[in-house]
Amino acid sequence: MAATAPPSPPSNITCVKKLSESPNLNSIPSNYAYFTNPTETIASDSDDLIPTIDLSLLTSDNPDQRSKAIQDLDKACQEWGFFMVVNHGIPETLMKNMLEVTNEFFNLPEEEKPEFQPKKVLDPIRYGTSFNTAKEKIFCWRDFLKLFVHPQFHCPHKPDSFRDLLLEYCERSREVVRKLLKGISESLGLEESEMDKALDLGSSFQLFVANFYPRCPNPDVALGMPPHSDHTLLTLLIENEVGGLQIQHKGRWVNVNALPNSILVNSGDQLEIFSNGKYKSVLHRAVVNNKKTRISIAMANGPSLDTVVSPASQLVQTKGCVASYVPMKYKDYLLSQQSNQLNGKSMLEQVQIHD
Ligand SMILES: O=C(O)CCC(=O)C(=O)O
Ligand SMILES: [Fe+2]
């Protein structure tokens, strides 16, 4: 299978932060207009409650509490592919400081940022706009900073406090992910340490993705990010108290109103593959608004880059079960996903076996 696309050239498109600051910007340029389907229904999460996972119960010494938390996780992954984690142990001040320093990064003078623009698709430090302007006809109302933070740690040398804060936040969020994946391993009927071993999580790939969505004069036609699933096992997301994330649930877009101090978690393509389709990666998108800048930080957590990911052997050895996905090295998957446009679950479809 042709897994990789050629590296895209660097982009020269103006960042949306600068665009949004242009005097008298009353409407967006036409190449930012998506014209989202007006017949789509938007539900608020109160109609159908988004699941909450209490991480302290998942790691509890009380076997009943733990097995109930594993059942909840199983249900959340099967029915939603999305949940909010509370009692996760990451200090609130650390999350706030991360969002603050991220804001400071985007607010650095534009002439200080070109050094962070990538030359290749998988450069470890990438500042840019939209998703992949070399391939897109319609751009996202979004600037981004993407950093490889594990197993090697990369960070811009400014703002001053960025490095220490990011290092701590990445470590803490990996601990949360390890705990969740132990629970998910069990909810799939596997040993607690099975995912750890099969996916080489000691060298897990972690990508920090900061999204900056400035105020937008036409929030009804622009999108911060179009519908997509993530290339990850699990993505952990925090935001600056400005909502905008929507997830697809039972054919409708659901607004996510995050509980204070919670972490939003969505299942990604590698989890769908490993679970042989039991836990589907969730389609989600980011909408924008005309009142406030929104900042979100998505920590993308995958297996190690060298892992060839396939459905867990224990899940396909049972009589009557066949693998629904072809094996693919995670690094190749990531390169291909990042080299193309963001388009629904199109990357996953390339490894899916249809009967
Ligand atoms: O900003 C958001 O809420 C979504 C971000 C996202 O989906 C991503 O970075 O992959
Ligand atoms: Fe995403």
Side-chain angles (χ1 to χ4, degrees), residues 225 228-230 266 284:
M225 283 183 96
H228 67 283
S229 61
D230 291 346
N266 67 270
H284 56 286

Side-chain angles (χ1 to χ4, degrees), residues 168-271:
E168 190 181 354
Y169 184 65
C170 294
E171 279 170 10
R172 297 278 198 140
S173 54
R174 276 201 310 282
E175 279 168 29
V176 172
V177 171
R178 287 293 269 274
K179 288 175 186 166
L180 289 171
L181 290 179
K182 280 185 179 169
I184 289 179
S185 232
E186 284 195 58
S187 73
L188 286 170
L190 308 173
E191 292 287 324
E192 185 190 72
S193 58
E194 191 52 43
M195 283 183 98
D196 219 307
K197 280 189 278 179
L199 301 170
D200 189 18
L201 296 183
S203 303
S204 63
F205 176 69
Q206 195 181 30
L207 179 71
F208 164 93
V209 182
N211 300 304
F212 186 93
Y213 309 104
R215 290 188 312 123
C216 174
N218 303 109
D220 43 344
V221 291
L223 278 176
M225 283 183 96
H228 67 283
S229 61
D230 291 346
H231 54 78
T232 58
L233 288 165
L234 292 177
T235 305
L236 267 50
L237 188 120
I238 57 173
E239 62 189 13
N240 66 337
E241 294 175 354
V242 181
L245 175 63
Q246 295 183 337
I247 54 171
Q248 177 100 149
H249 179 64
K250 295 185 181 160
R252 298 193 305 176
W253 287 109
V254 177
N255 285 316
V256 176
N257 300 315
L259 291 169
N261 198 24
S262 65
I263 297 181
L264 307 174
V265 179
N266 67 270
S267 60
D269 295 347
Q270 304 308 309
L271 185 58

Side-chain angles (χ1 to χ4, degrees), residues 56-128:
S56 67
L57 299 183
L58 194 63
T59 50
S60 160
D61 292 335
N62 177 330
D64 293 340
Q65 281 188 340
R66 183 165 151 73
S67 83
K68 166 79 172 56
I70 289 174
Q71 276 174 28
D72 291 347
L73 203 48
D74 179 56
K75 198 162 182 270
C77 289
Q78 281 200 70
E79 293 180 4
W80 287 81
F82 186 85
F83 49 91
M84 300 190 208
V85 177
V86 296
N87 294 326
H88 44 69
I90 303 186
E92 196 175 348
T93 45
L94 179 58
M95 304 201 302
K96 288 222 159 73
N97 290 342
M98 268 314 302
L99 288 159
E100 185 50 43
V101 77
T102 298
N103 187 30
E104 283 171 34
F105 174 84
F106 284 108
N107 279 297
L108 289 172
E110 227 32 64
E111 56 279 11
E112 291 186 29
K113 291 189 212 143
E115 64 174 301
F116 307 121
Q117 280 171 358
K119 303 196 176 41
K120 297 199 300 294
V121 177
L122 290 191
D123 274 352
I125 298 186
R126 282 177 287 158
Y127 163 66

Side-chain angles (χ1 to χ4, degrees), residues 105 116 123-127 145-150 152-156 162 166 170 205-210 299:
F105 174 84
F116 307 121
D123 274 352
I125 298 186
R126 282 177 287 158
Y127 163 66
L145 174 67
K146 298 187 191 183
L147 307 171
F148 287 16
V149 288
H150 195 260
Q152 276 85 40
F153 179 80
H154 299 266
C155 182
F162 204 176
L166 182 61
C170 294
F205 176 69
Q206 195 181 30
L207 179 71
F208 164 93
V209 182
M299 294 293 309

